[in-house]
Amino acid sequence: MKLSHRITHITGGGSDGWDVFYKARRMIADGVPVTELTIGEHDIRTSPDILGAMHAAAVGGHTGYAMVPGTHDLRKTVAARIASRTGVPTTADNILITPGGQAALFAAHTAVCDPGDTAVYIDPYYATYPGTIRGSSAVPKALITTPDTAFQPTCKALIETTAGATSLLVNTPNNPTGVVYSAQTLQAICDACITNDLWLISDEVYDTQVWDGTHISPRSLPGMAERTLVVGSMSKSHAMTGSRVGWICGPEGAIDQLINLATHTTYGVPGFIQDAADFALNQGDAVEEAVAAPFRRRRMLTMQALEGQNLVRAVPAQGAMYVMLDMRATGMSGEGFANALLDAEQIAVMPGESFGQAAAGHVRVAMTIADDKYVDALSRLIAFASAKASQTSD
Ligand code: PLP
C-alpha cells in the first residue's frame, strides 16, 4: 500500500553524516570500548527527588488522562518562570505543555505553516529541524551561516533568506555549535521577522546552560511577543530527557489552536510526569545550575586542553553541552576525521556535516562523560589530528 509522500520524505536520502554515529553504536554492541561523545544526553540521571515526586504522584492516582493543555499548576509554574526570566507578562493561558521540545517544534510549525509554506531554519542545525518542517507539510529552507561569524546569521542573510517565508526557526544557546546569539544577532532576527512578517519559533531548550554572556529570549524584544512561539523543555535543564515534557509559550490565540491540535494528536502529557516537572521547576535555580555545572566545568577543560596548539580550534563555546571543533587545518572533512578517529582511537564524535553544510570540516564533541575521561579523549583527539595533519603535509 502506498504511504503518504509527507511521511516517506521526512528525511532526505543518501549519506547525511550519521554513518559514524551508527558505526559507533555497532562497535559498542560488539563490545568495543568506544568513548562516546556524540549524543546530547547527560552523564547523570534524573535526580532521586524528582523521581520521588513522580512516584508519589503516580501512586497518589495521577495516572488517568491529564488535562490536554497541561495541568494548571505546571502551566502556571512555567508561565511564572518565563515571566520572571524575560520580563514579558505571561500567564497559564500562554502555555501548552507538550511531550518534550521535539513535539513542541512539530506542533509549532504545524500551527503557523500551511502546506507548501516556506519555513526557514539556520544551518548548522539540530538534526531533526528539516524533517520536522517537512513532517508539518511546510518546505524547509536553510540559511547557511559561516565560521567567520561564529555561525551567527547576519542581518543581510536574515532579511534576504526569509523574504516570502512564513516562519523562522532559531536556537540559542545553539546545538550543535555551542554559540549563544549576541544582542545584535537577536535584534537582526527580530527585524527580519517584523520586516518580512514571519512567525519566530525560538528553540530555547538550552536556556539554563550559558557559560558566557546571557540568554536573551527574542520574545522579550519589542513587537515580538505576538509573533513568537518559544519552545522549552525539561530535558536539558533537569536531566529529564526520558520523561518527555516540554512546552510552547505563545500568544493566547495560538495556544488555543495548539491545544486543539494536541487534543487530536498527543492528548496531553501524563499527569505524574507533569507533577514531577512542576516539583522540579519549584526547586529553583540551584538545581538547574547543578545540572549545568559539569558542562560549564568541561567547557573550561576543553579550552585548557586546546591551549598551546592551533591546529584544532574551538568555535567560541558559550553555552549548551557541546563544543564544535574546527578540523579544517588537518585537511580532512569532519566526516573523514570522525571516521578515522573512531577507527584508530575508538573515540566517537559527530561530523559537522551531520548538522548541515555550514559546519563541514568541523566535529561536534558532546561534553557528556566524566572529566578525567573527557580530558583524556580530547588529548588523544588532538594528538591524532596532529599526526593526520603531518601525514597530509608529507
Ligand atoms: N532542540 C534542540 C536544539 C535539541 O538539541 C533537542 C534535543 O537534543 C531538542 C530540541 C529536543 O529536546 P526534547 O524533545 O528532549 O525536549
Side-chain angles (χ1 to χ4, degrees):
M1 287 298 290
K2 180 181 167 295
L3 292 166
S4 74
H5 182 272
R6 184 159 69 123
I7 199 165
T8 52
H9 288 75
I10 283 184
T11 47
S15 168
D16 53 6
W18 282 79
D19 302 354
V20 183
F21 172 77
Y22 292 116
K23 181 160 137 193
R25 287 286 143 126
R26 279 197 304 275
M27 287 167 72
I28 293 167
D30 291 344
V32 180
V34 173
T35 305
E36 249 285 28
L37 302 171
T38 55
I39 284 289
E41 176 104 53
H42 315 68
D43 45 328
I44 54 163
R45 299 285 77 152
T46 308
S47 87
D49 287 359
I50 299 175
L51 294 178
M54 198 181 290
H55 180 74
V59 170
H62 208 172
T63 53
Y65 290 123
M67 299 288 290
V68 171
T71 65
H72 190 59
D73 285 350
L74 181 57
R75 292 174 84 200
K76 248 177 41 193
T77 299
V78 170
R81 179 184 195 260
I82 292 174
S84 82
R85 291 183 182 190
T86 64
V88 186
T90 307
T91 72
D93 293 334
N94 299 115
I95 306 296
L96 167 70
I97 304 300
T98 62
Q102 180 56 46
L105 286 165
F106 177 75
H109 282 94
T110 305
V112 303
C113 292
D114 277 317
D117 281 357
T118 300
V120 176
Y121 64 101
I122 298 184
D123 180 341
Y125 53 86
Y126 171 50
T128 67
Y129 280 179
T132 303
I133 292 169
R134 280 187 216 105
S136 74
S137 287
V139 178
K141 179 177 182 186
L143 184 165
I144 314 282
T145 59
T146 64
D148 330 339
T149 60
F151 298 109
Q152 305 209 24
T154 63
C155 217
K156 184 169 179 286
L158 279 161
I159 290 281
E160 287 176 4
T161 313
T162 61
T166 300
S167 63
L168 169 64
L169 169 59
V170 299
N171 169 226
T172 180
N174 187 269
N175 175 13
T177 63
V179 168
V180 173
Y181 285 178
S182 66
Q184 290 93 307
T185 300
L186 287 166
Q187 191 54 57
I189 286 169
C190 298
D191 291 346
C193 288
I194 291 169
T195 306
N196 290 333
D197 195 20
L198 310 171
W199 276 97
L200 180 65
I201 299 175
S202 179
D203 179 344
E204 303 181 22
V205 303
Y206 293 99
D207 65 345
T208 60
Q209 299 180 357
V210 179
W211 327 130
D212 216 4
T214 39
H215 169 66
I216 304 170
S217 173
R219 175 171 176 262
S220 65
L221 298 178
M224 291 307 292
E226 69 257 30
R227 58 172 71 245
T228 304
L229 297 176
V230 175
V231 170
S233 172
M234 301 295 292
S235 288
K236 313 293 174 174
S237 59
H238 291 80
M240 289 179 72
T241 48
S243 293
R244 312 310 304 135
V245 56
W247 56 82
I248 301 179
C249 172
E252 274 182 42
I255 294 298
D256 281 348
Q257 297 300 330
L258 279 156
I259 292 170
N260 200 16
L261 177 68
T263 302
H264 295 89
T265 51
T266 61
Y267 212 77
V269 173
F272 56 94
I273 300 280
Q274 295 195 61
D275 288 351
D278 193 34
F279 168 87
L281 290 172
N282 281 307
Q283 299 310 293
D285 297 355
V287 169
E288 298 178 12
E289 277 156 27
V291 173
F295 308 117
R296 182 186 292 281
R297 216 170 48 230
R298 290 171 201 154
R299 179 257 191 177
M300 286 308 297
L301 293 171
T302 312
M303 297 305 145
Q304 286 162 13
L306 295 175
E307 272 168 18
Q309 57 84 50
N310 52 23
L311 178 70
V312 180
R313 292 167 188 268
V315 172
Q318 301 155 309
M321 45 175 82
Y322 315 99
V323 58
M324 187 70 116
L325 300 178
D326 185 346
M327 307 306 302
R328 288 175 297 170
T330 63
M332 298 173 80
S333 67
E335 205 170 349
F337 182 82
N339 254 308
L341 182 71
L342 181 58
D343 291 341
E345 296 287 335
Q346 291 79 51
I347 298 173
V349 296
M350 290 299 289
E353 292 83 355
S354 319
F355 309 103
Q357 70 183 80
H362 291 68
V363 294
R364 187 195 76 172
V365 176
M367 302 184 282
T368 48
I369 56 171
D371 295 13
D372 53 342
K373 293 203 173 84
Y374 180 69
V375 170
D376 176 62
L378 275 186
S379 74
R380 281 161 55 209
L381 181 152
I382 295 164
F384 183 72
S386 77
K388 281 286 170 191
S390 53
Q391 273 169 22
T392 326
S393 60
D394 285 347

